[in-house]
Amino acid sequence: MNWINILNDVINYIESNLNSEISHEEISKISCCSYYHFQKVFSYITGLSLGEYIRNRKMTLAAFDIQKDEGRIIDIAYKYGYASPNSFNKAFKSVHGIPPIKAKNNKAILNIFPKLSLSLEISGTEDVKYSIVEKESFKIIGNRISLSENMNENFKIVPNFWKKMINNDFINKLKELNNNYPKGILGVNYFKNSRYIYYYISVSSNKKAPKNMYEINIPKSTWIIFKSEGDFEKSVQKIYTKFFKEWLPFSNYEYGKLPDIEVYPFDKNKNFEVWISIKNK
């Protein structure tokens, strides 16, 4: 089953449970992968985090209930899983721009976020260069930061981690350690289980990790390597989106679910690579 079908199945599950518990375990079961991996794929394909999508759908239905006078606002908050009026008010205002009480006014302007429905997409408007390579296991060495299963939090954690690492002598130390392929600074998203999720800023090396650095082994795999240049942040997102929406559904491969690796240059060269593990269907 391709990722578009999987996402539609999960969206249908979410839609049926907007006013009850949305189980991370059930989403993992439907998607046949960890909840963490599913969130990543969801954000790459839709441009929204899973948490944002669920919140937007809940607040759309909550606004309908308020305008139809379906009960007290506190009861509507509980209906959609919000334990306190403050948390519900904050979520509602983030979506509609006004507090729930003002939504009772028939002249109130509210936002509607419809249920997503995804389809396969073929787009030939922009070329993306890629190659497929087999690579034996290799070791990475670097610094790391703990992530959570909440992708919204991670979207803040990772950029701040890069800023912290770039603003000291750490990059020069990495350059000295980089004696293996791929060459460059590696951004590695490593998921082992829900309690062991890290983001590494690292290099490929067969040297011994210095004190205060960490090392992990990346397993042997087949990799699709996308090459790009320009604005790193925007281009990386575009590559992942193209991979899941345009390349993977029409290939004879599946997502390998190993750490995704971004390879950045040490110098001011704007060329970079994205490595994504794949395996035969």
Side-chain angles (χ1 to χ4, degrees):
M1 184 185 291
N2 65 58
W3 276 102
I4 301 300
N5 291 337
I6 290 173
L7 261 71
N8 281 323
D9 288 345
V10 173
I11 287 168
N12 288 334
Y13 164 73
I14 290 170
E15 200 67 19
S16 300
N17 291 276
L18 287 172
N19 57 1
S20 59
E21 181 184 4
I22 295 174
S23 165
H24 294 185
E25 290 75 18
E26 187 63 23
I27 289 177
S28 294
K29 182 179 177 181
I30 295 170
S31 63
C32 301
C33 69
S34 70
Y35 180 69
Y36 179 78
H37 274 114
F38 176 79
Q39 287 186 95
K40 285 173 59 181
V41 176
F42 185 93
S43 65
Y44 293 151
I45 292 179
T46 67
L48 284 171
S49 73
L50 182 60
E52 284 177 304
Y53 175 72
I54 293 172
R55 181 200 64 195
N56 291 347
R57 287 297 296 141
K58 285 186 174 187
M59 293 305 101
T60 295
L61 299 186
F64 291 156
D65 289 350
I66 290 171
Q67 290 208 311
K68 290 187 294 183
D69 201 19
E70 292 286 332
R72 298 181 305 166
I73 288 176
I74 186 62
D75 294 329
I76 294 172
Y78 290 147
K79 176 181 177 180
Y80 292 103
Y82 288 83
S84 73
N86 285 342
S87 62
F88 180 69
N89 286 351
K90 184 178 179 180
F92 194 93
K93 194 171 182 180
S94 71
V95 172
H96 298 290
I98 59 174
I101 190 66
K102 290 191 176 181
K104 285 182 173 291
N105 187 331
N106 289 332
K107 294 182 180 180
I109 299 175
L110 301 169
N111 292 316
I112 296 176
F113 291 88
K115 172 189 171 185
L116 278 177
S117 179
L118 302 171
S119 60
L120 290 176
E121 179 178 328
I122 303 175
S123 174
T125 58
E126 187 176 351
D127 292 335
V128 177
K129 297 178 181 179
Y130 72 88
S131 59
I132 295 175
V133 301
E134 301 279 344
K135 183 164 175 56
E136 296 295 324
S137 64
F138 61 99
K139 182 173 71 177
I140 66 168
I141 296 174
N143 237 332
R144 71 185 188 188
I145 192 165
S146 179
L147 300 180
S148 75
E149 283 197 303
N150 186 325
M151 295 303 292
N152 285 341
E153 291 181 13
N154 296 339
F155 290 150
K156 298 175 184 176
I157 292 171
V158 171
N160 288 336
F161 184 47
W162 272 102
K163 289 178 183 177
K164 180 180 178 181
M165 292 297 98
I166 289 173
N167 287 337
N168 59 30
D169 198 40
F170 176 66
I171 299 302
N172 290 331
K173 293 177 183 176
L174 285 183
K175 193 171 184 178
E176 293 174 2
L177 290 168
N178 187 197
N179 66 349
N180 203 358
Y181 183 71
K183 295 291 186 178
I185 308 171
L186 310 182
V188 180
N189 206 314
Y190 186 86
F191 174 91
K192 186 176 181 180
N193 56 52
S194 60
R195 295 180 299 278
Y196 193 100
I197 312 172
Y198 288 99
Y199 184 85
Y200 287 79
I201 297 178
S202 57
V203 289
S204 179
S205 178
N206 55 25
K207 295 182 179 181
K208 184 179 179 181
K211 290 182 179 179
N212 302 321
M213 287 196 191
Y214 302 89
E215 63 179 54
I216 56 169
N217 286 314
I218 305 296
K220 176 182 178 180
S221 182
T222 302
W223 300 87
I224 180 168
I225 303 174
F226 291 94
K227 299 179 183 294
S228 191
E229 60 179 319
D231 185 307
F232 293 152
E233 187 174 350
K234 291 181 181 178
S235 297
V236 166
Q237 176 71 32
K238 188 183 297 183
I239 285 171
Y240 284 120
T241 300
K242 280 184 170 290
F243 170 73
F244 284 107
K245 290 182 74 173
E246 300 175 21
W247 189 87
L248 194 62
F250 303 101
S251 73
N252 292 316
Y253 293 96
E254 294 178 351
Y255 182 36
K257 299 173 188 174
L258 290 182
D260 298 326
I261 301 173
E262 295 154 16
V263 185
Y264 301 104
F266 283 108
D267 55 26
K268 294 182 179 180
N269 188 329
K270 292 186 177 181
N271 296 325
F272 67 95
E273 298 176 346
V274 175
W275 290 40
I276 304 175
S277 172
I278 54 178
K279 59 184 179 181
N280 289 320
K281 287 183 179 179

